[in-house]
Amino acid sequence: MTQTTARRSTPDALLTRVRDRSPGMGAALLGGALAAVLGLAALTVLVTLLWISSPYPDSGPGGALHVAASVWLLAHGGELLRTDTLTGVPAPIGVPPLLLLALPVWLLRRAARDAADGEAGDEAPLVPGRTAWSGVVLGYLAVAAPTALYAAGGALRPAWPSTAVSVPLVAVAAAGAGVWTAYGRPSGPWERGLGAVLPRGVRHLILGPDGRPGAAARAAAAGTAVLTGGGALLLALSLVRHGGETRGAFVRLTEGWSGWLTVLLLCLTLLPNAAVWAAAYALGPGFLLGTDATVTPLAAAPTPLLPPFPLLAAVPDAGAGTVVNWAAAVVPVTAGAVVGWCVGRVTTTGGHPDAAAWTAGRTAGAAVLAAGLCAGLLSALAALAGGPMGVAQLSRFGPVWWQVGAATLAWLGLVATATSLAVRAWRRRTPAAPARPLPGPPRPAPATGRRLRLPVPPRWFPRRRPTGDDLPTTPGDTLYDFLPSDRAPLAGLGGSYDDFVPSGGRSREPSQDGPAASRPSRPDDEDRDALDVPTPPPFVSSAGSAGGSRSDDVYDDVYDDVYGDVYGDVFSDDSQPSGRGLSADGPASA
């Protein structure tokens, strides 16, 4: 036995060694393959349902599966070749539905993010980014390759050059975005890439120092959104204006609800493409409906014989443009104003509270850079939204990407620069001085330590004190004066109890014991005389009977307010009498 034979490893040992050296590679491969299978299965189910509901299917189940595989490749941006033509020459189909492109991108991004996170908990380290990214891409391409080979046997065959470029490109970009998201969206890779080609000042306009998108990048994103949204609005208005032709296209193209549903789903997947076409129309270059048919706001050339498709019914009529067509220029003007406002609002702080204000040159440069970034995004969308739809005249279909980019840069560069400088000047304006008050008599300052009192307004009707004539004299009501002004009769308690009763009230007879016997027993007479404490008046109820009843709370309160301060110092807490009422014969002894 030789040394080489003794060290030969089994296949299981090799797989274990690869797994140990590259942790997470197996899960990444499986995640990429699963993303491709899910996207392919979703389109297969949709195409199969439409084939089943079709009253006149052209092929069997095999043909439906071939079409589903071809549509899946078309969703990645690859071109297809239609072989069943009248001339026998394959006709290319290179307009990918942009709505279908969102499906593989979302699945790939999610698979790469999950592969980088791993199956462990939150405290476990992440899988290396290169391992997760390469595993997802390889797993996805492992399913895409046999799918392309299978689709080559159908009526819609993939064009190999475009398929070999578009499918890996989508997989690489979407998987990279997923790994970048799993690592918390770090700005290091972007800074290194931008630092190699851009100076620091320009780089921070695209990517801020804190890792967030810079002012120019945010403005470009806002401008792109306004342009595409404005294009969608123009498309809707044109479809409403050509409503009759749009409805007639459904009837002429197919019959039955299943055919109408198929056409409607196809129109929905092509709506983003039509919005980009309308944005290109508003910018000025327009779009092509053949090699010699250009549609712009200024003029629309006669188009060749087009199929009765509902979205094509929204194409403006041939001839010179009118004011209605020229009104589409509102879209790029609005987009330029939005870009300029996004740039101008950060000029006073530089996008950071502690940063210095921008100069006019830097503000204009940021606006032009934002316009350039927006032009790049619109050029990419225009390139994806168009393509060939046949041979000869239909070889060029849709907007021309470089024309759209140049028009975007021209429109947004001018409008955004002017708007940003205007916003900068407005935010840096000097606030006007407040108006000086009119001269008037000086107001005296309030004295220190005293309270400022407002003047009391004069009374229009002077207050009149009530007299005896104003008092009520209703029979049965008796008025009693509990606040005598003279303390001498109270101190001596001279006279009868009629002295304490007003002339209008009922008189009462004193008791047999005299007024002295009705005095309180505490304190003693000598002590009270020494303290010169007045004797309280009798407590008489409103009904005319005196006694120890305390049914009337009002009289109790008056009694406490008048005599509480005097007797409160004499009576102690333990010797306080329980009642202060007086009987009918005189004061009740406590």
Side-chain angles (χ1 to χ4, degrees):
M1 181 183 297
T2 62
Q3 186 177 3
T4 305
T5 305
R7 294 184 178 180
R8 182 174 299 174
S9 301
T10 61
D12 295 338
L14 291 175
L15 291 176
T16 303
R17 187 180 304 174
V18 171
R19 185 174 61 252
D20 294 340
R21 290 182 179 180
S22 302
M25 176 60 74
L29 288 170
L30 181 60
L34 183 61
V37 170
L38 288 178
L40 183 60
L43 292 179
T44 301
V45 170
L46 180 61
V47 172
T48 303
L49 290 177
L50 295 177
W51 173 79
I52 292 174
S53 60
S54 177
Y56 307 105
D58 295 336
S59 58
L65 295 178
H66 282 90
V67 170
S70 300
V71 171
W72 184 75
L73 295 175
L74 180 65
H76 293 78
E79 293 183 3
L80 300 178
L81 297 175
R82 186 167 58 89
T83 57
D84 54 347
T85 59
L86 298 177
T87 60
V89 178
I93 300 176
V95 180
L98 293 181
L99 190 60
L100 292 181
L101 179 61
L103 178 62
V105 169
W106 178 74
L107 291 173
L108 277 166
R109 179 182 174 276
R110 186 179 181 88
R113 187 195 62 185
D114 295 343
D117 289 339
E119 299 179 357
D122 296 337
E123 299 180 357
L126 297 175
V127 176
R130 294 182 179 179
T131 301
W133 173 76
S134 59
V136 171
V137 172
L138 292 176
Y140 196 85
L141 295 180
V143 177
T147 302
L149 293 176
Y150 177 78
L156 295 176
R157 302 175 182 178
W160 295 111
S162 63
T163 303
V165 173
S166 61
V167 177
L169 183 61
V170 172
V172 168
V179 174
W180 180 62
T181 303
Y183 273 80
R185 299 179 178 89
S187 59
W190 293 102
E191 291 181 355
R192 289 191 295 268
L194 295 176
V197 295
L198 295 176
R200 181 178 181 180
V202 179
R203 182 172 70 250
H204 285 173
L205 292 176
I206 301 176
L207 185 66
D210 54 353
R212 300 176 59 187
R218 295 194 301 269
T224 305
V226 172
L227 284 175
T228 53
L233 180 60
L234 292 179
L235 173 65
L237 294 177
S238 183
L239 287 176
V240 172
R241 184 181 180 184
H242 301 83
E245 299 178 5
T246 304
R247 291 190 300 268
F250 278 95
V251 179
R252 294 173 55 190
L253 192 61
T254 183
E255 296 179 359
W257 66 268
S258 60
W260 297 337
L261 180 61
T262 303
V263 175
L264 179 61
L265 291 177
L266 183 58
C267 292
L268 291 178
T269 57
L270 289 173
L271 277 180
N273 301 62
V276 175
W277 286 29
Y281 178 84
L283 288 168
F287 50 87
L288 298 175
L289 294 178
T291 55
D292 300 330
T294 305
V295 180
T296 64
L298 299 178
T303 59
L305 184 60
L306 298 176
F309 194 67
L311 291 181
L312 294 179
V315 175
D317 300 331
T322 60
V323 178
V324 177
N325 304 101
W326 302 340
V330 175
V331 175
V333 172
T334 305
V338 170
V339 171
W341 180 81
C342 292
V343 173
R345 63 192 295 264
V346 298
T347 54
T348 54
T349 60
H352 193 273
D354 299 332
W358 289 4
T359 61
R362 182 175 175 81
T363 302
V368 173
L369 178 60
L373 294 176
C374 187
L377 292 175
L378 259 295
S379 299
L381 290 177
L384 290 175
M389 287 298 293
V391 294
Q393 291 185 351
L394 295 179
S395 59
R396 300 178 63 183
F397 214 75
V400 181
W401 65 270
W402 64 268
Q403 295 179 2
V404 173
T408 304
L409 181 60
W411 275 104
L412 271 63
L414 294 175
V415 180
T417 301
T419 305
S420 62
L421 292 176
V423 173
R424 175 184 176 273
W426 175 261
R427 295 175 69 92
R428 288 174 58 88
R429 72 188 187 282
T430 302
R436 301 180 61 181
L438 297 176
R443 296 182 179 179
T448 305
R450 294 186 178 181
R451 198 171 159 191
L452 181 62
R453 297 188 179 184
L454 298 177
V456 179
R459 296 183 179 274
W460 293 98
F461 302 99
R463 181 181 299 177
R464 184 174 61 88
R465 297 181 178 274
T467 61
D469 298 336
D470 299 332
L471 299 178
T473 59
T474 305
D477 293 342
T478 305
L479 300 178
Y480 297 92
D481 187 6
F482 286 96
L483 300 176
S485 60
D486 189 4
R487 293 179 55 186
L490 295 178
L493 292 178
S496 64
Y497 284 96
D498 295 335
D499 298 334
F500 299 98
V501 181
S503 59
R506 295 181 181 180
S507 62
R508 301 190 179 278
E509 298 293 334
S511 62
Q512 300 297 331
D513 297 336
S518 61
R519 298 176 184 176
S521 60
R522 295 180 184 180
D524 295 337
D525 295 343
E526 295 78 8
D527 297 337
R528 188 180 68 252
D529 295 338
L531 295 175
D532 192 16
V533 177
T535 303
F539 182 85
V540 183
S541 63
S542 61
S545 62
S549 176
R550 302 179 60 188
S551 59
D552 197 337
D553 296 336
V554 178
Y555 292 151
D556 287 345
D557 294 339
V558 173
Y559 189 97
D560 292 338
D561 293 340
V562 176
Y563 296 97
D565 296 337
V566 178
Y567 285 97
D569 299 333
V570 178
F571 296 124
S572 59
D573 295 339
D574 55 353
S575 62
Q576 179 73 20
S578 58
R580 296 191 295 269
L582 300 177
S583 61
D585 297 332
S589 57

